[in-house]
Amino acid sequence: MGVSGSGKSVLGRCLADKLDATFIEGDDFHTADAVAKMSASHPLDDADRWPWLDRVGTAVGAAVARDGVAVAACSALKRRYRERLAMAAGIPLLFVLLDADRELLSQRLADRPHHFMPVNLLDSQLATLERPDTDEPAIALKAARPPLALREEVLAWALHAAKTGTDEAP
């Protein structure tokens, strides 16, 4: 989870490859209208997000039911969005916040000229972001770190969570 440009898709694919799991790209579940809205530099509102979160969560739940594990990249910027994803998935979810400063995020977005999310929506995403509370099943990692290092930290955290029934970092 995290704002656009934080590296969700890169880390998600890296994790999915390591786990031989289905990777679900949240961007693929946006409607054409939502993509057009963002492309025109208009941020999504909750009315745009609820059905999208339901589609992503349902896909995660189906992949886990079929394969036992799945990895998804989804902004999940607010607590209630994370709760909605888990509800739609029908299973407990773990969240990884990829945290980065505005400068790094701006550079990454500028390096993706063909993505529908323009750089000028970054501030609205940063303003919307609610960092996970300590009672949420989440960990925050520095997005500037190499994807393989992030992957190993996520895997150690998830394994610890599975073994102990707690989502606290080992």
Side-chain angles (χ1 to χ4, degrees):
M1 64 167 281
V3 301
S4 191
S6 62
K8 299 179 301 288
S9 298
V10 171
L11 176 58
R13 285 186 187 96
C14 190
L15 280 164
D17 287 349
K18 177 74 172 183
L19 296 169
D20 195 26
T22 298
F23 174 66
I24 297 164
E25 173 56 71
D27 285 348
D28 294 343
F29 291 81
H30 283 299
T31 63
D33 287 344
V35 170
K37 187 175 184 177
M38 289 181 281
S39 296
S41 297
H42 300 290
L44 298 182
D45 57 29
D46 285 353
D48 300 314
R49 287 189 180 105
W50 295 131
W52 169 68
L53 291 164
D54 290 341
R55 289 189 297 273
V56 174
T58 298
V60 169
V64 170
R66 182 185 62 243
D67 305 327
V69 66
V71 178
C74 178
S75 55
L77 297 175
K78 293 183 179 183
R79 181 184 186 124
R80 63 183 185 214
Y81 299 165
R82 297 185 287 275
E83 291 170 346
R84 182 76 171 241
L85 281 166
M87 185 178 68
I91 55 172
L93 302 177
L94 297 175
F95 293 92
V96 177
L97 169 62
L98 290 175
D99 222 354
D101 62 37
R102 190 182 188 296
E103 184 178 334
L104 175 63
L105 295 166
S106 294
Q107 182 58 52
R108 286 182 175 180
L109 290 174
D111 290 343
R112 303 185 325 180
H114 303 294
H115 193 273
F116 60 81
M117 178 64 96
V119 175
N120 63 355
L121 285 184
L122 178 58
D123 287 331
S124 72
Q125 283 206 322
L126 289 169
T128 301
L129 177 64
E130 294 174 0
R131 297 181 57 77
D133 289 325
T134 57
D135 65 331
E136 290 185 75
I139 188 172
L141 302 176
K142 298 292 182 192
R145 294 181 50 220
L148 293 179
L150 291 169
R151 179 189 74 188
E152 294 311 309
E153 189 166 350
V154 170
L155 292 173
W157 171 68
L159 180 61
H160 177 75
K163 284 182 179 178
T164 65
T166 177
D167 52 35
E168 294 177 6

